[in-house]
Amino acid sequence: MDENLTEIRYHFYSLKFTPLNGVNKTSKDIVFEIVTFISNKLFQEKQGYLIDKHHAQRNKRREIFMDRAVILPRERRIRCSMALLRNKNPLIKPHEEFKLVPISDMGSVAEQTNFFIDYSRDPVIICCEYHHEGPRISDIEYYFRNIAHRELRLSKATKIDSFLDSPIEEVLAKMKNVLNFTIKVDPKDLNRLSTDVHNQYFTGMRNLSNMMEPRFLRIEAYFQSPGSKFKTKAVNTKANNVVKDLLTKIKGSKIDIDTFKDFRFVYEDKEGIEEVFNLLSGKKEIVLNVDLSQRISSTRWYEFIKNDFDDFMQNL
């Protein structure tokens, strides 16, 4: 691959809204009203709409706002982007000058994630760029949920589902016994876990990362001796419960799938056949190789993914 090219991935999700009692609107109706609300903020009021996802937590901020929402009526799609303020104050070097100037003199540093919504069906389908430093699909879901509930009084809940080669509900239905599992995370991404999930399963990883500051952490657990000819018939109830609980929380959008760099396990199904489940490699995605040295417009990003997005929608 050309060394000037960077690999960019786009993933697919469905977004479903549960309307408030008495509200007779579909998910695509609600998305359309959210986008109209955002567009009015951006183009008529000239101020946008910013939400701090960590507003209830002291000394933490995750400020997000949509900076683009363009409706493409012929294609029944919406071209969007969301920004995350980094809340840091780096220095920059002006051209032809050998000095450093606080970037806060110009504005705030922000990371931008492009995403595209297809509202031709219900629930709507989102094709979202994976941006490690920028907003994730969980931020988009949180942003839309808050506008729909707090500002528009249309919805009381949202649900995000990823598109996987092996649907989670299918694995949960046929899984009998977990034989081993591997989980790998970037310690910084542990912040994406809800408090209950973190405290229940990942406190030890956080403590270790605070002591040693590793780039990644990996958990490998084996409940059968690798390579052994003798397999115990005992069911690993505790391991099964942990894996089932994590999968259920991922399926219910209580855990951001992008928290994990690796999440896979080997299990025995109810027929006694060994199966492998890989959460990340099973994700439906578009892989692009792009030269990021030049500024790429939202229109151009859409052109990059359009044909693959079309194919995905046709095969749903």
Side-chain angles (χ1 to χ4, degrees):
M1 186 178 75
D2 189 323
E3 63 180 12
N4 294 321
L5 301 181
T6 301
E7 186 176 88
I8 303 295
R9 294 175 181 269
Y10 278 80
H11 297 145
F12 295 99
Y13 306 88
S14 67
L15 173 60
K16 182 178 181 179
F17 290 83
T18 302
L20 287 168
N21 295 338
V23 174
N24 186 24
K25 291 183 180 292
T26 65
S27 292
K28 63 182 181 181
D29 293 333
I30 294 174
V31 164
F32 215 85
E33 294 209 22
I34 291 170
V35 169
T36 300
F37 172 86
I38 294 167
S39 296
N40 288 339
K41 288 285 185 182
L42 288 171
F43 301 115
Q44 295 184 15
E45 301 179 27
K46 306 296 183 182
Q47 63 179 19
Y49 187 81
L50 183 144
I51 294 177
D52 182 1
K53 193 176 177 182
H54 291 161
H55 67 92
Q57 302 180 48
R58 293 183 61 185
N59 303 319
K60 290 185 68 175
R61 285 187 294 171
R62 190 171 179 82
E63 296 173 312
I64 51 178
F65 65 95
M66 279 186 62
D67 62 310
R68 183 178 292 107
V70 179
I71 298 172
L72 309 176
R74 288 186 179 180
E75 300 177 52
R76 290 187 289 179
R77 289 186 182 159
I78 308 168
R79 183 161 46 83
C80 309
S81 60
M82 177 173 285
L84 167 67
L85 296 182
R86 290 178 59 186
N87 297 311
K88 295 181 180 179
N89 190 20
L91 302 175
I92 61 172
K93 175 189 172 298
H95 291 297
E96 308 302 330
E97 295 184 55
F98 287 89
K99 66 179 182 179
L100 297 176
V101 179
I103 201 167
S104 58
D105 292 350
M106 303 172 60
S108 300
V109 178
E111 300 286 353
Q112 185 184 60
T113 295
N114 295 286
F115 64 101
F116 308 96
I117 302 172
D118 189 298
Y119 61 90
S120 64
R121 61 179 65 209
D122 194 77
V124 300
I125 304 299
I126 297 177
C127 179
C128 181
E129 174 189 1
Y130 173 72
H131 187 175
H132 179 71
E133 300 294 339
R136 308 276 187 99
I137 188 63
S138 57
D139 295 308
I140 296 168
E141 181 270 335
Y142 183 89
Y143 192 82
F144 277 33
R145 169 161 46 92
N146 275 267
I147 292 177
H149 181 69
R150 294 181 181 178
E151 299 292 339
L152 304 179
R153 303 301 301 166
L154 294 175
S155 173
K156 57 186 176 183
T158 53
K159 185 175 185 294
I160 284 280
D161 276 325
S162 303
F163 286 89
L164 306 172
D165 288 332
S166 298
I168 289 176
E169 57 268 25
E170 179 182 312
V171 175
L172 289 170
K174 68 181 185 179
M175 186 172 71
K176 177 183 177 182
N177 200 16
V178 174
L179 304 179
N180 64 68
F181 68 77
T182 300
I183 295 175
K184 178 182 176 183
V185 296
D186 181 332
K188 296 193 301 294
D189 286 338
L190 292 173
N191 294 324
R192 299 185 179 278
L193 297 169
S194 62
T195 302
D196 61 326
V197 174
H198 176 269
N199 290 345
Q200 189 171 3
Y201 299 117
F202 297 97
T203 302
M205 296 182 79
R206 167 61 59 77
N207 293 339
L208 186 62
S209 67
N210 288 339
M211 287 189 294
M212 304 180 68
E213 299 183 352
R215 182 66 185 87
F216 294 103
L217 288 170
R218 184 196 301 271
I219 297 175
E220 292 185 346
Y222 292 86
F223 308 99
Q224 304 276 11
S225 298
S228 173
K229 297 180 180 179
F230 304 99
K231 303 293 184 182
T232 176
K233 295 183 179 180
V235 174
N236 305 305
T237 304
K238 291 183 178 180
N240 284 0
N241 289 341
V242 169
V243 171
K244 286 180 179 179
D245 188 43
L246 288 173
L247 287 179
T248 300
K249 285 181 166 63
I250 291 170
K251 182 177 180 295
S253 305
K254 294 182 179 179
I255 299 179
D256 183 353
I257 192 173
D258 291 325
T259 300
F260 304 104
K261 299 301 179 188
D262 194 4
F263 188 110
R264 53 193 161 90
F265 59 90
V266 178
Y267 68 96
E268 186 179 60
D269 69 14
K270 293 178 180 178
E271 303 298 323
I273 299 173
E274 286 192 13
E275 300 275 3
V276 178
F277 177 81
N278 190 324
L279 180 66
L280 303 187
S281 70
K283 292 178 71 172
K284 305 291 187 182
E285 62 181 3
I286 299 171
V287 180
L288 306 173
N289 291 300
V290 183
D291 184 355
L292 297 181
S293 63
Q294 302 295 321
R295 178 72 176 172
I296 302 174
S297 68
S298 175
T299 300
R300 188 64 176 146
W301 278 116
Y302 181 64
E303 291 172 354
F304 286 157
I305 62 95
K306 182 182 181 305
N307 289 339
D308 289 308
F309 199 2
D310 290 345
D311 290 342
F312 178 83
M313 295 302 299
Q314 290 174 6
N315 292 318
L316 272 181

